[in-house]
């Protein structure tokens, strides 16, 4: 590779100077790259020489734009069978946020300072969580392009959205008195079964909606999460490998499920909570039609709506396990968290050293029922 100075006059007769890197790529084809400053040319030359030696260099003329990389990435995630809602979210990130800011930039000219500038723009225009998701999509786009041999490195790695020192939003945990009231008021077999699984097993709403009877072992007193229902009511696997798990159940939950199984209407998928059409029940129908009336009967109302969403019972479950001195690693497994960091980020403030006995599922049940007025 060689660097030479280039001088010329523009159309207005002004003297112009540039520094030209003259090199051959890994296929032996002669290439050129021009810079306004010599030190920029020298810095680029070092990186390009290494890329050529490794066979990963992409010349400007052969590079695609970020917008084109986005189209290829969406095609990849679609081919991999990702959920329709996930693909739609990725597509929105690309169309509404990434392309307007940097879609015309070629991957070969993308640098880490560029990515930081884009990140700052997104943080200015969007909420911190959305900016973080858009930045993550950009990282995945570049990774996909890298795997296709269209760019040498992923310069977005290591760039994150800073929280600005603000704490995470407080999670809503129903008190044990409220949980006891809900369980006591759930006279309907279906409502009691639902609340037992939500409170004692911490299942997500999508997991409850996709739960099949084959995943419940009444003899072993366990529930196994192996599938879920997405926003469009399609049954599929959990969103991550960690989502597959088996959770112990207390006797109250086993008895409630035993009774509901006898009354549960049949469905082709053998669902525990099927809709009237024998399909996965929708999230609003599960909340408003099953849990809502119970909460309203208990006086747990806010703005004429049920006080707690289904996810609040999941938080309650985790807090009860923590109270029973369950290890963080086991809680991570039972909650289906992808990493222990997620568990600590969400519930770290609840962990404390207590001296309580085993029999965790029964102890959790007992602690709630003893709170009944």
């Amino acid at each position: 590779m060689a660097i030479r100075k280039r001088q010329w006059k523009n159309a207005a007769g002004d003297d112009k100077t540039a520094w030209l890197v003259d090199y051959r790529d890994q296929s032996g084809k002669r290439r050129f790259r021009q810079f306004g400053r010599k030190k920029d040319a020298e810095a680029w030359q070092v990186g390009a020489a290494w890329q050529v030696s490794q066979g990963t260099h992409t010349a400007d003329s052969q590079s695609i734009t970020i917008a084109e990389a986005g189209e290829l990435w969406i095609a990849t995630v679609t081919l991999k069978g990702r959920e329709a809602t996930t693909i739609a979210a990725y597509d929105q990130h690309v169309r509404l946020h990434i392309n307007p800011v940097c879609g015309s930039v070629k991957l070969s000219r993308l640098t880490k300072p560029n990515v930081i500038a884009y990140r700052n723009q997104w943080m200015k225009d969007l909420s911190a969580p959305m900016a973080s998701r858009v930045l993550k999509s950009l990282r995945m786009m570049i990774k996909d392009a890298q795997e296709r041999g269209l760019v040498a490195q992923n310069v977005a790695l290591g760039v994150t959205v800073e929280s600005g020192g603000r704490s995470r939003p407080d999670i809503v945990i129903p008190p044990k008195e409220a949980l006891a009231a809900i369980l006591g008021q759930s006279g309907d077999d279906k409502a009691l079964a639902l609340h037992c699984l939500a409170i004692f097993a911490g299942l997500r709403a999508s997991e409850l909606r996709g739960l099949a009877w084959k995943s419940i072992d009444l003899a072993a007193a366990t529930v196994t999460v192996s599938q879920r229902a997405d926003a469009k009511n399609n049954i599929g696997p959990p969103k991550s490998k960690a989502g597959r798990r088996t959770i112990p159940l207390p006797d109250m939950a086993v008895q409630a499920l035993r009774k509901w199984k006898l009354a549960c209407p049949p469905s082709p998928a053998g669902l525990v909570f099927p809709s009237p059409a024998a399909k996965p029940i929708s999230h609003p129908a599960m909340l408003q039609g099953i849990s809502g009336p119970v909460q309203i009967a208990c006086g747990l109302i806010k703005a004429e709506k049920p006080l707690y969403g289904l996810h609040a019972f999941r938080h309650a479950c985790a807090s009860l396990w923590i109270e029973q001195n369950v290890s963080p690693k086991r809680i991570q497994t039972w909650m289906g968290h992808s990493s222990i960091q997620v568990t600590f980020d969400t519930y770290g403030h609840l962990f404390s050293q207590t001296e309580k006995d085993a029999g965790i599922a029964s102890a959790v049940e007992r602690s709630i029922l003893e709170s009944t007025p």
Side-chain angles (χ1 to χ4, degrees), residues 105-118:
V105 176
K106 285 196 170 186
L107 287 177
S108 60
R109 288 186 173 267
L110 191 61
T111 65
K112 188 169 185 177
N114 293 151
V115 176
I116 292 174
Y118 306 149

Side-chain angles (χ1 to χ4, degrees), residues 190 193-198 201-218 222-230 233-238 243 245-247 249 253 257 260 264-275 278-281 286:
K190 178 166 63 173
L194 172 69
H195 286 123
C196 280
L197 286 170
L203 269 62
R204 300 176 175 92
S206 61
E207 295 166 348
L208 289 167
R209 293 170 51 236
L211 184 64
W213 284 110
K214 65 182 180 181
S215 298
I216 297 177
D217 190 333
L218 295 175
T222 61
V223 57
T224 297
V225 178
S226 60
Q227 61 185 33
R228 61 188 289 273
D230 66 15
N233 290 339
N234 296 315
I235 298 291
R245 61 202 189 276
T246 298
I247 309 159
L249 296 171
L257 287 164
W260 170 235
C264 179
S267 62
L271 299 173
V272 178
F273 302 108
S275 71
K279 297 180 179 180
I281 189 171
M286 178 171 278

Side-chain angles (χ1 to χ4, degrees), residues 110-178:
L110 191 61
T111 65
K112 188 169 185 177
N114 293 151
V115 176
I116 292 174
Y118 306 149
R119 184 274 314 271
N120 293 344
Q121 183 64 47
W122 291 323
M123 289 186 67
K124 178 182 177 182
D125 297 339
L126 309 171
S127 67
M130 177 56 78
S132 181
R133 289 193 288 270
V134 171
L135 179 59
K136 182 179 179 181
S137 291
L138 178 63
R139 281 198 298 268
M140 291 190 289
M141 281 173 50
I142 301 174
K143 179 183 178 182
D144 179 66
Q146 189 178 20
E147 292 173 349
R148 294 172 182 270
L150 300 174
V151 67
Q153 58 181 328
N154 192 340
V155 295
L157 292 177
V159 180
T160 60
V161 172
E162 302 295 336
S163 64
R166 292 173 292 181
S167 60
R168 294 168 61 92
D170 293 335
I171 59 176
V172 176
I173 302 177
K176 285 188 284 187
E177 293 78 8

Side-chain angles (χ1 to χ4, degrees), residues 23 52 71 99 143 174 179 207 218 261 316 323 327 337 344:
Y23 69 102
V52 170
E71 292 179 5
N99 286 351
K143 179 183 178 182
L179 300 177
E207 295 166 348
L218 295 175
K261 188 174 184 180
E323 185 180 279
S327 71
H337 289 159
F344 281 127

Side-chain angles (χ1 to χ4, degrees), residues 21 35 94 103 133 152 179 184 190 257 266 294 299 313 321 337 342 344:
V21 181
F35 297 87
V94 174
R133 289 193 288 270
L179 300 177
K190 178 166 63 173
L257 287 164
V294 176
F313 300 130
W321 283 335
H337 289 159
V342 174
F344 281 127

